[in-house]
Amino acid sequence: QLQLQESGPGLVKPSETLSLTCTVSGGSISSSSYYWGWIRQPPGKGLEWIGSIYYSGSTYYNPSLKSRVTISVDTSKNQFSLKLSSVTAADTAVYYCARVVWTFMSFDYWGQGTLVTVSS
Amino acid sequence: DIQMTQSPSSLSASVGDRVTITCQASQDISNYLNWYQQKPGKAPKLLIYDASNLETGVPSRFSGSGSGTDFTFTISSLQPEDIATYYCQQYDNLLPLFGQGTKLEIK
């Protein structure tokens, strides 16, 4: 059974860089049929797609976040990572990693999510 | 940019009721629409992909229909465990966009 697990600091200071890693187990991140993505959800609000990456390193980003986002992949560790720079309180959210079925751009497996709070 | 309008934002229904949620795109997105269920404190769960295809393991009381700009998600007979927030998600331009969500409560 495929499992995804987010990890990283739960508290980040304003203007600093948020860094999270998603570890994939029970399957290979190098599968040709899938991308891997990050989605966030501010407390009490809806879902926002951040970006997605293929095992080759090809990326797609949400245009509204593109200038601050970097997503990378480490196939040797079966992990992919998110960096979001110059964070503000508006970036406080639960951050999810997920597998993307490319044909339908559907998110079929999700991590449990991790709350990241931006505060001094 | 494509805009998604999901309605209603909240809905109260009784066990056994037929429940319908709609999602409207600002331009033609063919069948490029997925539906998710999110229970409090949990990650979203994929229910329907490509507008009308039931994800493996999802109960048959859930269904989706539509194409172009107008889409419908239906629960044929509401069960207590269906209490959740439901989201549509389009992917016409390879940039996923979620609807605003519909919070479903038991009457």
Side-chain angles (χ1 to χ4, degrees), chain A residues 39 41 45-49 52 60-63 96 101-113, chain B residues 32 34 36 38 41-46 48-50 53 55 87 89-91 94-100:
Chain A
I39 302 99
Q41 185 172 36
K45 296 189 178 180
L47 300 163
E48 179 181 35
W49 171 72
S52 298
Y60 289 88
Y61 296 137
N62 186 325
Y96 295 101
V101 180
W102 183 247
T103 307
F104 307 111
M105 205 64 72
S106 56
F107 302 93
D108 65 342
Y109 282 91
W110 295 65
Q112 64 185 23
Chain B
Y32 302 153
N34 306 314
Y36 299 83
Q38 186 179 32
K42 299 295 186 182
K45 176 185 177 181
L46 177 65
I48 304 286
Y49 64 92
D50 205 29
N53 294 283
E55 178 73 351
Y87 294 92
Q89 174 239 317
Q90 71 88 12
Y91 58 96
L94 303 183
L95 304 178
L97 175 66
F98 291 91
Q100 302 92 326

Side-chain angles (χ1 to χ4, degrees), chain A residues 73-113:
Chain A
V73 63
D74 186 336
T75 55
S76 67
K77 295 182 179 179
N78 230 31
Q79 295 177 334
F80 62 106
S81 298
L82 168 70
K83 291 188 185 298
L84 180 66
S85 64
S86 304
V87 297
T88 69
D91 295 309
T92 293
V94 174
Y95 285 76
Y96 295 101
C97 60
R99 189 178 77 170
V100 188
V101 180
W102 183 247
T103 307
F104 307 111
M105 205 64 72
S106 56
F107 302 93
D108 65 342
Y109 282 91
W110 295 65
Q112 64 185 23

Side-chain angles (χ1 to χ4, degrees), chain B residues 4-49:
Chain B
M4 301 298 296
T5 303
Q6 185 176 341
S7 62
S9 57
S10 63
L11 176 58
S12 182
S14 300
V15 173
D17 281 355
R18 182 181 183 88
V19 171
T20 298
I21 298 169
T22 65
C23 209
Q24 186 172 56
S26 58
Q27 62 189 70
D28 190 334
I29 59 169
S30 186
N31 293 335
Y32 302 153
L33 191 96
N34 306 314
W35 291 95
Y36 299 83
Q37 175 193 66
Q38 186 179 32
K39 297 184 177 181
K42 299 295 186 182
K45 176 185 177 181
L46 177 65
L47 300 179
I48 304 286
Y49 64 92

Side-chain angles (χ1 to χ4, degrees), chain A residues 1 4 18 22 115:
Chain A
Q1 177 76 348
L4 294 87
L18 178 160
C22 182
L115 174 63

Side-chain angles (χ1 to χ4, degrees), chain A residues 9-102:
Chain A
L11 181 64
V12 180
K13 289 182 169 57
S15 80
E16 295 189 345
T17 296
L18 178 160
S19 296
L20 295 173
T21 295
C22 182
T23 300
V24 179
S25 58
S28 173
I29 203 169
S30 300
S31 175
S32 60
S33 301
Y34 305 107
Y35 269 63
W36 304 88
W38 289 97
I39 302 99
R40 70 179 183 178
Q41 185 172 36
K45 296 189 178 180
L47 300 163
E48 179 181 35
W49 171 72
I50 300 170
S52 298
I53 190 165
Y54 196 53
Y55 74 92
S56 63
S58 176
T59 54
Y60 289 88
Y61 296 137
N62 186 325
S64 69
L65 297 169
K66 186 174 183 177
S67 64
R68 298 194 292 130
V69 173
T70 302
I71 297 176
S72 59
V73 63
D74 186 336
T75 55
S76 67
K77 295 182 179 179
N78 230 31
Q79 295 177 334
F80 62 106
S81 298
L82 168 70
K83 291 188 185 298
L84 180 66
S85 64
S86 304
V87 297
T88 69
D91 295 309
T92 293
V94 174
Y95 285 76
Y96 295 101
C97 60
R99 189 178 77 170
V100 188
V101 180
W102 183 247

